[in-house]
Amino acid sequence: MGLTHTSTGAGAAGGGLAIRRRSPEDRVIALAGNPNVGKSTLFNAFTGMRQHTGNWPGKTVATAQGRHMRHGRDYILVDLPGTYSLLARSAEEEIARDFLCFGGADAAVVVCDATCLERSLNLALQTLELQPRTVVCVNLLDEARDKGIQVDLERLSHILGVPVAGTSAGRLEGLEPLMAAVDAVCGAPQPPEPFQAAYPPAVEAALARLEPPLEGWLAGRLPARWTALRLLDGEASLLGALSEALGDDPTEDPAVAAALEEARGDLEAAGLDGEALREAVVSALVGSAAEIAGEVVAFRRAREAQRDQRLDRLLTSRATGIPVMLGLLALVLWLTLWGANLPSELLSRALFWVQDRLTELFQSLHAPDWLHGALVLGVYRTLAWVVSVMLPPMAIFFPLFTLLEDFGYLPRVAFVLDHAFQKARACGKQALTMWLGKNRVRRLLWRERHGHGDELFRKIEVELVEFEPRAWYNKT
């Protein structure tokens, strides 16, 4: 079944996703953040059991929304998919962007990781361009303290121009100040004037040319600067979502179309058309995030910070990133294949010993052959085979993979492979799911090649082919 335009993009965010308001006074708050920054922990702490989970319409990306009562007012929290950017190179990024654009959120909370604030600020800066009523939540302050990292929250709030709250969601610390900041942002008569990243002069000149006609056309429905940047970028999925959500195509307005054509001509003359423009925008955002983090983050343990930086250079550089990744993943694969052989063999012997005992029991009870074939040779034998083959490697592989994730290596794998995957119109994060699937196939091929379970393979195949319940039913 294919996806339609109404089940993706703005259709998913603004129409398909039902926000369950009980009163017009309810406030919708979008929770955004990178993966593994404690966003879901924060969401669970606020909403408790008052949650509704499901999938975004037309996609397999999970969504959750819940309620938090404060001072007699309901806040509907929408837990957006974890994403590193709003530039929409994946389904998660597209959903997060479209909900912030068209989902009707009254405010946004961007959850940042205090242990690596620079990376999280990239998403925060993009969100501030789209939603001025934003609160930046610096989470995991307890872990940052353990690592000797200090974050000047007041200085960060002054630079960003929006409220900043520090939390340790796992310990339920800082939740009340965070909601107080959200309440203040939602109730303010005018939105804050947040920090704006400075793009290259040619991009700024193009934005200055395009913003005035867009402001009149948008009439406050979306920020003119952010919309102008997206029009210059020419992303097809967003342009269609804009036209559908706003009821008209901005490029059909004569003033907007003329300004857009002139701005694109200026960018092309400056060598900033197409992918070059996007790279310039991303570089400006990353540079701004690094500059802000340098002002507000202090390391009490400079030696550990330098060690982490050297480790990052080793794991993500062009020269060593790929070899180190291949070596680590090959080690995990080898440990999984080699380590699972013995427990798999012992488990299969135990389970098939139980099968023999079940066969003896059925024979002693003079059970009909069709019942023995269906229950023992069909259901139990298939289950025993699947468990003996799949359980041991899974019990080894997933803890190892979890360790890599806890050490923060998997995002680095996605970063290293992202450039190559973009050549195939994909993103680096897909490499992880592909590797998970390939690991299972390699496991079966390994066992077959080394003679483990060959006889069982053949027996199961024969029995599945000969398994004909209708024939057994006719015999009875």
Side-chain angles (χ1 to χ4, degrees):
M1 185 174 69
L3 301 180
T4 64
H5 182 66
T6 57
S7 65
T8 59
L17 179 63
I19 300 298
R20 293 166 172 78
R21 294 179 183 263
R22 296 176 182 172
S23 165
E25 301 298 322
D26 291 353
R27 290 171 174 171
V28 179
I29 310 299
L31 283 180
N34 299 160
N36 303 317
V37 297
K39 177 170 58 66
S40 296
T41 303
L42 198 67
F43 173 81
N44 293 333
F46 278 125
T47 61
M49 299 300 294
R50 298 178 296 277
Q51 301 175 9
H52 173 79
T53 59
N55 282 346
W56 294 87
K59 297 181 182 290
T60 57
V61 181
T63 176
Q65 59 178 283
R67 291 182 175 274
H68 175 74
M69 178 71 72
R70 186 177 189 275
H71 298 167
R73 184 191 296 272
D74 267 353
Y75 289 82
I76 303 175
L77 304 182
V78 180
D79 189 11
L80 299 179
T83 178
Y84 293 100
S85 172
L86 296 180
L87 297 182
R89 291 188 180 272
S90 66
E92 291 86 355
E93 294 173 0
E94 183 180 348
I95 286 172
R97 179 205 65 194
D98 286 355
F99 185 81
L100 289 171
C101 283
F102 317 115
D106 296 295
V109 174
V110 181
V111 184
C112 300
D113 185 352
T115 64
C116 51
L117 186 62
E118 178 181 336
R119 182 177 64 187
S120 299
L121 283 177
N122 181 31
L123 177 64
L125 293 179
Q126 294 181 52
T127 306
L128 290 176
E129 288 184 334
L130 182 56
Q131 173 57 272
R133 295 184 185 271
T134 294
V135 176
V136 175
C137 170
V138 181
N139 193 31
L140 303 177
L141 286 178
D142 51 341
E143 295 187 14
R145 286 193 296 266
D146 294 340
K147 295 181 178 181
I149 300 173
Q150 291 180 325
V151 181
D152 189 341
L153 301 179
E154 293 185 4
R155 176 62 177 162
L156 180 60
S157 177
H158 176 73
I159 294 175
L160 295 180
V162 296
V164 174
T167 62
S168 297
R171 299 182 180 181
L172 303 181
E173 297 177 357
L175 302 186
E176 177 56 29
L178 173 60
M179 284 308 300
V182 172
D183 193 9
V185 165
C186 291
Q190 294 295 329
E193 295 183 3
F195 173 88
Q196 291 183 347
Y199 298 114
V203 178
E204 290 290 346
L207 292 176
R209 182 186 297 273
L210 188 54
E211 280 184 57
L214 267 178
E215 286 181 352
W217 187 86
L218 289 170
R221 292 174 291 181
L222 285 174
R225 179 180 174 85
W226 180 86
T227 307
L229 198 59
R230 301 285 78 78
L231 289 178
L232 292 173
D233 183 49
E235 185 183 335
S237 64
L238 179 61
L239 295 179
L242 277 173
S243 300
E244 181 178 351
L246 301 179
D248 196 4
D249 186 351
T251 60
E252 293 181 357
D253 183 83
V256 174
L260 179 60
E261 184 177 357
E262 294 177 1
R264 284 179 174 171
D266 294 341
L267 289 175
E268 185 176 355
L272 290 175
D273 57 330
E275 191 64 27
L277 173 62
R278 175 166 289 205
E279 290 180 0
V281 170
V282 171
S283 297
L285 290 170
V286 172
S288 298
E291 184 178 349
I292 294 173
E295 292 190 35
V296 302
V297 177
F299 295 91
R300 292 199 308 268
R301 305 170 188 171
R303 183 175 300 177
E304 292 184 7
Q306 294 175 358
R307 182 194 62 190
D308 291 342
Q309 291 177 358
R310 288 194 296 268
L311 190 60
D312 278 341
R313 285 195 293 267
L314 173 68
L315 297 178
T316 60
S317 71
R318 294 184 177 182
T320 60
I322 296 293
V324 170
M325 178 197 70
L326 293 177
L328 282 176
L329 296 183
L331 177 62
V332 171
L333 179 62
W334 180 80
L335 289 174
T336 302
L337 298 178
W338 178 81
N341 283 332
L342 180 59
S344 181
E345 189 69 25
L346 294 176
L347 189 58
S348 64
R349 289 179 182 177
L351 292 175
F352 285 101
W353 179 87
V354 174
Q355 174 191 302
D356 295 338
R357 305 290 79 77
L358 290 174
T359 298
E360 294 174 359
L361 175 62
F362 272 67
Q363 290 175 351
S364 65
L365 296 176
H366 302 289
D369 291 341
W370 67 266
L371 184 60
H372 171 263
L375 296 182
V376 178
L377 300 181
V379 176
Y380 178 81
R381 188 180 182 88
T382 303
L383 180 62
W385 168 245
V386 172
V387 170
S388 62
V389 171
M390 299 304 299
L391 182 59
M394 290 172 64
I396 296 174
F397 172 77
F398 283 104
L400 291 176
F401 218 62
T402 301
L403 285 177
L404 292 180
E405 182 178 7
D406 291 341
F407 286 136
Y409 183 63
L410 295 189
R412 290 167 173 82
V413 171
F415 172 79
V416 169
L417 294 178
D418 186 65
H419 182 72
F421 270 67
Q422 286 182 17
K423 301 295 184 181
R425 304 298 181 185
C427 66
K429 290 185 290 184
Q430 292 176 266
L432 305 178
T433 55
M434 289 176 61
W435 199 75
L436 287 171
K438 288 181 179 179
N439 179 72
R440 299 179 181 179
V441 175
R442 288 169 180 164
R443 170 66 184 159
L444 293 176
L445 293 176
W446 170 282
R447 290 183 59 81
E448 185 175 7
R449 181 180 302 172
H450 291 78
H452 295 284
D454 286 350
E455 183 179 355
L456 293 178
F457 260 121
R458 289 191 293 270
K459 287 183 178 179
I460 290 295
E461 183 179 3
V462 170
E463 289 173 0
L464 289 178
V465 171
E466 295 179 351
F467 182 74
E468 297 181 358
R470 183 180 299 276
W472 287 337
Y473 176 79
N474 291 335
K475 288 181 181 179
T476 61

